[in-house]
Structures are given as C-alpha cells and as structure tokens.
C-alpha cells in the first residue's frame, strides 16, 4: 500500500514532490548514444579506453608510441598446426561479415561507408546520403548498404570505382591489416572464439583496398608469411618474404596500424616482423616515409633469397642442379679459352 506524501520523512517527501511535479522531458533525437562495444570485447589497452567500436580506426598509435607498444608485445606463440584442421577462416574466425556490435549492419558495409568517398546509399538515380537510403538496403544492412562510391586506395595510391554487384563488388575488398591466418599462426589459435570473431571484424584491423592489392598481400606480415599445411608437411608460420603496400607514402600508416592491432590484442610477432616494423617506425618517427633505400631493398632481398629457396625441397633441388650446370659451364668455358691461348703446347 502506498504511503501518502505527508507520511514520508521530510527528505523523502521533498524528493517525491519534486518527481511528481517535474515535467517529462522528451528524448533528445539530435544526440544519439555512441556505438557500444560489442559483447565480449577483450579488455582494451589504455589508449583505446573510451573509443567507440566504430571509431577505433581513429585510434592508431603514432610512430613513437607504436615503437614502445611493439617492444612491449609478448613473445610469439607459433601454431603447431595449420588452421585447415579447424575449418580455416570460417572455423576459426566466423563467416564474413558479422554484425558484431548489433547495430543492424554488417562489417563490410560499415567499412565501405567509412572509407569510400561519394558513397551512395540508394539504388535510386543520383547520389543518396545515408538518411535517404534508410530501408532501401540489402538484408545484411537495410539502412546503410553502400551501392557505389570511390575508393582512394591507400595500398596502391589509385582511385577505384566501386559498384555493388556480383561481378563488380570484388573491385574493392576489405583487408585485414593483420591477416586472419597470420593472427592464427602467431597466437589467435589459443584465443577464445569471441575474441577471434571480434578481431576479424574490428574496424581498427580493417581497411578498404583495391581488390588485386588485397589478393597479392595474402596472409603476409611485413617480413614473413604463414604458408603450407600440416597435412602436406609444409606448414611454416614465418616463411620469407613478407609484404608491404606498394604505395610507399602509406608505409608509415601501415606499420602503425599493424602494431596498433597487435598491441590491442596482445599478439606476439616473429622476430623478422618485429625488426622490419621497428626499422620502418624509427624512420617514420625521424620524419621519413619508412620506405627503404634502393640499396636496403636489394640487400634485404638478397638476404631473404637463400632462406626462401632452401626452405622448399623443390627449390633446393633446382638450386643444386643450377649450380652444377653453372659449374660445368664455367669449366667448359675455361677449357675452350685455354685451347685458344697462343703458343700453348699440347700434351702427349
């Protein structure tokens, strides 16, 4: 039974009277709440505290901070087996692309909307903004499907026209800055399923790029790539060489982003990748673009060549055969030269 206000203690009566007479405020539509972190998101690192899920790409570490984060990463945890036994991409990281933050839109469309200019959210004639396209999208993102736009590809520096469609969508692909197979190979094999699903859809780890550039990168880090499979006895978590964006002006941004993702998820890295990232970031911190000199590029390529060749039995056999042929050719050439030397006596 409710007590009358006059029967309540003085302080409680005052509060009750204030609540009873206060006007009811309408919710402010102009100030929507920020996107929430997805359920089960791992504990964020300090610099990510308070950053909304959809805004995580804005929290990339600067070069100096990235170097410090790189040095603080845990040791590499190489996977003993390839990911194929566990279902590869889908088995380990879920299908592409999930709506992990529950906002009604799949990750691919969210990244396209973020990274494309002149994004069109409607199939109607002319360019339609997000509000005009509400309710006109595909089932995976009814209110914000990106039907077309222009990508200024950070990996190649080229401008790419995007048109949603079965035969055209692949012109623009969503790249995992740290590829999923690389993540698996260096520690994600031990993570829980929810964390793997989140890193596969984390805006910090995703960038829209030209399709062919994405394909050429494969599962590589800056200096190494996971290759092969346990089934064929060819599994290696850190084979040379790695991959960098061909657009040198994005090299610093790429290194910073790579380390930022690794730091956010406490991912260990192979020594070769650590060294490549540290070298690049040091140049970036000093005001450079992170790109190696021609001499450095040649030196690194020569240094990686023996490991790349000798790591494969077929390459070893071809290299041995080539060296034998080269040696035989040198001997034969020397003999021909000796025969042509004037005044040389013949034996016997």
């Amino acid at each position: 039974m409710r007590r009358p206000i006059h029967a309540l203690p003085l302080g409680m009566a005052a509060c009750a009277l204030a609540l009873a007479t206060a006007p009811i405020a309408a919710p402010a539509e102009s100030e929507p709440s920020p996107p929430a972190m997805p359920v089960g998101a791992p504990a964020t690192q300090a610099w990510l505290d308070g950053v909304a899920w959809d805004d995580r790409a804005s929290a990339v570490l600067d070069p100096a901070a990235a170097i410090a984060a790189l040095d603080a990463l845990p040791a590499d945890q190489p996977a003993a087996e390839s990911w194929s036994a566990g279902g590869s991409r889908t088995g380990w990281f879920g299908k592409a692309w999930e709506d992990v933050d529950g906002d009604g839109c799949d990750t691919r469309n969210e990244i396209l909307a973020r990274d494309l200019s002149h994004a069109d959210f409607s199939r109607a004639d002319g360019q339609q903004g997000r509000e005009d396209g509400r309710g006109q999208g595909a089932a995976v993102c009814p209110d914000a499907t990106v039907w077309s736009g222009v990508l200024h590809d950070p990996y190649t520096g080229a401008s790419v026209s995007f048109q949603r469609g079965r035969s055209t969508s692949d012109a623009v692909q969503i790249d995992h800055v740290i590829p999923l197979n690389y993540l698996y190979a260096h520690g994600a094999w031990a993570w829980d399923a929810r964390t793997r699903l989140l890193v596969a859809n984390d805006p910090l780890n995703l960038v829209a790029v030209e399709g062919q550039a994405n394909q050429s990168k494969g599962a590589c880090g800056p200096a190494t790539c996971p290759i092969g499979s346990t089934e064929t006895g060819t599994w290696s978590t850190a084979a040379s060489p790695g991959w960098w964006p061909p657009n040198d002006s994005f090299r610093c941004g790429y290194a910073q982003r790579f380390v930022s993702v690794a730091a956010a998820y406490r991912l260990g890295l192979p020594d070769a990748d650590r060294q490549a990232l540290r070298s690049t970031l040091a140049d970036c911190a000093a005001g450079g673009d992170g790109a190696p000199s021609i001499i450095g590029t040649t030196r690194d390529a020569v240094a990686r060549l023996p490991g790349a060749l000798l790591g494969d039995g077929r390459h070893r056999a071809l290299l041995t055969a080539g060296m034998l042929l080269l040696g035989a050719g040198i001997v034969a050439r020397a003999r021909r030269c000796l025969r042509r030397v004037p005044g040389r006596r013949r034996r016997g």
Side-chain angles (χ1 to χ4, degrees):
M1 181 174 180
R2 297 180 62 184
R3 297 168 65 187
I5 289 179
H6 62 76
L8 296 175
L10 182 59
M12 294 180 64
C15 290
L17 182 59
L19 289 172
T21 58
I24 299 176
E29 297 182 359
S30 59
E31 297 182 1
S33 59
M37 294 292 287
V39 175
T44 61
Q45 303 306 311
W47 90 95
L48 285 171
D49 286 345
V51 178
W53 180 255
D54 288 345
D55 296 333
R56 283 166 69 91
S58 66
V60 173
L61 295 168
D62 64 39
I67 292 173
L70 179 64
D71 291 339
L73 291 178
D76 184 18
Q77 289 185 282
E81 298 180 336
S82 60
W83 71 349
S84 53
S88 299
R89 195 257 193 248
T90 303
W92 287 98
F93 293 92
K95 65 180 183 180
W97 296 91
E98 295 281 4
D99 173 18
V100 296
D101 55 357
D103 64 356
C105 189
D106 67 304
T107 301
R108 175 176 167 83
N109 275 291
E110 291 181 336
I111 302 303
L112 289 174
R114 184 194 72 189
D115 290 354
L116 267 59
S117 61
H118 308 294
D120 188 355
F121 293 89
S122 171
R123 284 176 283 192
D125 293 338
Q127 183 179 333
Q128 310 295 320
R130 190 187 297 263
E131 286 303 314
D132 294 329
R134 291 183 67 84
Q136 301 182 44
V140 292
C141 187
D143 293 332
T145 295
V146 178
W147 296 100
S148 65
V150 177
L151 170 71
H152 302 289
D153 178 27
Y155 284 3
T156 64
S159 292
V160 183
S161 295
F162 169 75
Q163 182 70 49
R164 181 183 174 90
R166 181 171 297 180
S167 62
T168 57
S169 287
D170 280 351
V172 173
Q173 298 178 15
I174 309 301
D175 178 52
H176 292 91
V177 176
I178 302 187
L180 299 184
N181 196 6
Y182 185 102
L183 285 163
Y184 164 84
H186 298 293
W189 59 271
W191 297 352
D192 62 82
R194 183 62 180 173
T195 301
R196 289 195 295 265
L197 179 66
L198 291 173
V199 75
N201 292 273
D202 191 338
L204 180 63
N205 192 32
L206 299 173
V207 59
V209 300
E210 189 266 332
Q212 188 55 49
N214 186 39
Q215 295 302 312
S216 68
K217 174 183 175 180
C220 293
T224 71
C225 315
I227 63 171
S229 70
T230 305
E231 293 81 359
T232 59
T234 58
W235 173 239
S236 172
T237 60
S240 297
W243 183 92
W244 284 97
N247 178 19
D248 283 345
S249 66
F250 188 63
R251 197 178 180 96
C252 289
Y254 185 77
Q256 292 166 228
R257 190 90 166 249
F258 197 100
V259 172
S260 296
V261 176
Y265 288 87
R266 303 294 298 155
L267 180 76
L269 303 178
D271 287 341
D273 287 303
R274 290 176 188 261
Q275 294 169 9
L277 288 162
R278 185 178 291 106
S279 176
T280 294
L281 290 167
D283 185 64
C284 298
D289 62 5
S293 64
I294 295 177
I295 294 176
T297 301
T298 304
R299 182 188 64 240
D300 292 345
V302 171
R304 291 197 301 264
L305 185 59
L309 292 175
L310 296 178
D312 188 303
R314 293 168 298 177
H315 288 163
R316 288 197 300 271
L318 289 172
L319 182 60
T320 301
M323 293 177 67
L324 291 173
L325 289 172
L326 179 61
I330 292 173
V331 171
R333 182 64 180 267
R335 287 177 176 173
R336 286 197 298 271
C337 291
L338 287 173
R339 293 192 189 102
R340 295 171 185 165
V341 174
R344 181 177 180 273
R345 291 183 178 181
R346 293 180 176 271
R347 293 184 177 180

